[in-house]
């Protein structure tokens, strides 16, 4: 890669800087521990991509809260349908996961990231076939600019890594947490199925929650938080995401394609968001909405979150997923396997959107997929 110019107009070799950062295997936390006081150039985003970084809406009502223990199921289904069709996000409470387990998972992720560097270096990898790995920015070498975060990744279902392969800091909690959050996802998928006028087990039987990857994000304090992102704007590629965040906030959702709205931390709640594949199979009845995470403005405390991404069995499934239609509305997307869809996401990273690659134009033939077979 030829030399380019940094924000100060000085020549620098971006590829060499990226490689030097990656070779430390210490992530962004390593830069913070080294005492950086200015944002390294590889993390500086363009002025265009930073537009609106200081503005947001604090309307808490924009992201509804759904009580999963509510007595009138039809009211719960209606609330979920409305949220999934508009903002694409909602929070769930009274979901059955103990508060101690939720807090324990967040604390374990923090303990790992703030523990010995050797523990992180031992599992640092960009090999996406590894079921347990640590890295910073999965698209580090392909994105226009890096984000200020580190990531601990677990593949939890099916065929999870043996417990001895898990870092000691999280070993006692991550498996139990994965089982608990899967129950939440299945409950939400039932509500979403009913929202589409289908039987409650329809989306589950399509395999929408067979695969679980837990992506544990660690956002260290940033020396210049208005010049970069914690995670830049993107949509999630899978079917469903169940997010556990700490009390710091920083997650924002693009509402009505024009207004960035803060997602306030609600004690004891999970945040649910619709993924691209669920928008595809719902034929745009549900919306996978862009969201982002601000760089951490705290001077001394990292932000921690755990995103549980649900998908079909990526190793074994050859199923084609396409729009579920009733014959009256034509399909908007062409059918695709989940494996190919995620491969598209991994290829383009957060700088593009996988869903756009499968949208039909008026001249492209398509077949509606009853039940997405």
């Amino acid at each position: 890669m030829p030399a380019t110019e940094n924000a100060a107009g000085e020549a620098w070799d971006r590829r060499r800087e990226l490689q030097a950062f990656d070779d430390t295997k210490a992530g962004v936390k390593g830069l913070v521990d080294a005492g950086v006081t200015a944002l390294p150039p590889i993390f500086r985003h363009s002025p265009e991509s930073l537009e609106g970084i200081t503005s947001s809406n604090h309307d808490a009502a924009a992201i509804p809260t759904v009580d999963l223990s509510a007595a009138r199921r039809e009211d719960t289904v209606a609330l979920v349908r409305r949220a999934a069709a508009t903002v694409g996000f909602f929070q769930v409470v009274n979901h059955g996961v103990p508060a101690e387990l939720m807090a324990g998972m967040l604390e374990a992720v923090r303990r790992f990231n703030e523990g010995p560097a050797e523990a992180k270096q031992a599992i640092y990898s960009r090999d996406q076939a590894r079921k347990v790995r640590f890295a910073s920015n999965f698209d580090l070498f392909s994105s226009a600019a890096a984000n200020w975060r580190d990531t601990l990744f677990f593949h939890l279902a099916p065929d999870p890594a043996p417990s001895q392969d898990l870092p000691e800091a999280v070993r006692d909690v991550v498996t139990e947490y994965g089982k608990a959050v899967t129950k939440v996802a299945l409950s939400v998928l039932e509500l979403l199925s009913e929202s589409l006028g289908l039987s409650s087990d329809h989306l589950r039987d399509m395999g929408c929650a067979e695969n679980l990857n837990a992506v544990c994000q660690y956002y260290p304090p940033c020396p210049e938080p208005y010049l970069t992102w914690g995670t830049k704007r993107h949509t999630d590629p899978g079917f469903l995401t169940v997010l556990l965040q700490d009390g710091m906030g920083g997650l924002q959702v693009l509402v009505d394609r024009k207004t960035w709205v803060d997602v306030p931390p609600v004690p004891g709640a999970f945040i649910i968001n619709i993924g691209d594949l669920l928008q595809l199979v719902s034929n745009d009845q549900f919306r996978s909405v862009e969201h982002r995470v601000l760089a951490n403005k705290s001077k001394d405390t990292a932000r921690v979150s755990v995103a549980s991404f649900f998908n079909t069995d990526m190793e074994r499934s050859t199923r084609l997923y396409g729009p579920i239609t009733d014959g009256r509305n034509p399909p908007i997307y062409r059918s695709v396997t989940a494996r190919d869809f995620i491969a598209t996401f991994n290829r383009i990273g957060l700088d593009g959107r996988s869903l756009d690659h499968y949208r039909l134009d008026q001249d492209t033939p398509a077949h509606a997929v009853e039940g997405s077979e």
Side-chain angles (χ1 to χ4, degrees):
M1 178 180 292
T4 184
E5 288 188 349
N6 62 16
E10 302 165 334
W12 65 294
D13 188 331
R14 183 170 185 273
R15 174 74 190 199
R16 184 177 63 188
E17 292 295 324
L18 290 169
Q19 192 63 61
F21 168 70
D22 201 46
D23 287 345
T24 68
K25 300 184 178 181
V28 171
K29 178 66 161 54
L31 297 175
V32 174
D33 290 344
V36 295
T37 57
L39 193 70
I42 61 172
F43 293 94
R44 292 176 180 261
H45 288 248
S46 68
E48 295 79 16
S49 68
L50 293 170
E51 186 175 353
I53 192 170
T54 59
S55 63
S56 65
N57 188 303
H58 301 285
D59 181 11
I63 311 297
T65 297
V66 177
D67 184 348
L68 294 185
S69 68
R72 287 177 54 86
R73 188 170 181 85
E74 59 268 30
D75 293 343
T76 304
V77 170
L79 182 57
V80 167
R81 181 190 302 115
R82 186 162 58 249
T86 54
V87 70
F89 274 73
F90 53 95
Q91 308 212 48
V92 295
V93 296
N94 294 323
H95 39 65
V97 180
E100 295 80 6
L101 180 57
M102 299 168 72
M105 184 65 197
L106 290 172
E107 179 54 35
V109 173
R110 185 180 301 277
R111 186 164 58 244
F112 170 82
N113 281 278
E114 297 175 359
E118 293 78 11
K120 289 182 277 189
Q121 293 167 351
I123 59 171
Y124 195 95
S125 176
R126 297 197 174 278
D127 181 0
Q128 295 185 356
R130 291 188 59 171
K131 294 184 177 182
V132 179
R133 59 184 186 269
F134 170 75
S136 183
N137 289 262
F138 77 96
D139 56 352
L140 180 69
F141 291 96
S142 60
S143 63
N147 296 294
W148 196 256
R149 72 170 190 277
D150 295 328
T151 303
L152 176 61
F153 174 95
F154 301 105
H155 174 75
L156 295 180
D159 308 320
S163 60
Q164 61 265 28
D165 290 350
L166 301 175
E168 184 177 355
V170 302
R171 189 174 299 158
D172 292 339
V173 67
V174 66
T175 301
E176 182 183 0
Y177 178 81
K179 293 176 180 177
V181 80
T182 297
K183 292 180 180 178
V184 175
L186 291 173
S187 296
V188 171
L189 285 172
E190 288 182 357
L191 293 166
L192 290 167
S193 293
E194 294 172 37
S195 298
L196 293 172
L198 305 169
S199 63
S200 61
D201 57 0
H202 194 101
L203 292 173
R204 181 197 64 200
D205 291 348
M206 282 170 52
C208 296
E210 291 175 342
N211 188 98
L212 169 58
N213 291 330
V215 176
C216 310
Q217 307 285 28
Y218 183 85
Y219 300 91
C222 182
E224 296 181 282
Y226 297 113
L227 297 180
T228 190
W229 295 104
T231 303
K232 61 188 168 186
R233 61 189 296 172
H234 67 287
T235 57
D236 294 347
F239 284 101
L240 193 74
T241 303
V242 181
L243 177 71
L244 171 64
Q245 65 170 345
D246 65 14
M248 292 188 65
L251 173 64
Q252 297 180 333
V253 175
L254 187 62
V255 175
D256 296 329
R257 299 184 175 91
K258 60 182 180 182
T259 304
W260 287 103
V261 174
D262 294 317
V263 182
V266 174
F270 286 107
I271 299 167
I272 308 294
N273 70 280
I274 305 299
D276 288 347
L277 274 171
L278 194 50
Q279 178 171 334
L280 185 151
V281 300
S282 75
N283 208 34
D284 274 3
Q285 293 185 70
F286 297 156
R287 289 190 57 215
S288 174
V289 173
E290 286 188 298
H291 48 287
R292 67 189 188 186
V293 179
L294 300 175
N296 186 358
K297 297 186 287 290
S298 170
K299 298 298 184 182
D300 53 13
T301 304
R303 177 183 185 268
V304 174
S305 69
V306 180
S308 298
F309 295 109
F310 289 91
N311 211 328
T312 191
D313 185 342
M314 301 293 291
E315 290 296 321
R316 301 175 182 87
S317 176
T318 58
R319 182 175 192 154
L320 282 173
Y321 287 93
I324 302 171
T325 71
D326 55 11
R328 293 191 296 270
N329 299 311
I332 298 172
Y333 303 97
R334 59 187 172 91
S335 300
V336 61
T337 65
R339 184 183 303 173
D340 286 345
F341 194 91
I342 299 300
T344 300
F345 172 80
N346 287 333
R347 185 178 71 251
I348 64 178
L350 298 184
D351 287 327
R353 188 173 185 187
S354 310
L355 193 62
D356 294 336
H357 292 256
Y358 299 95
R359 189 177 292 273
L360 293 166
D361 59 41
Q362 294 180 348
D363 301 321
T364 305
H367 300 285
V369 183
E370 184 69 33
S372 207
E373 280 289 348

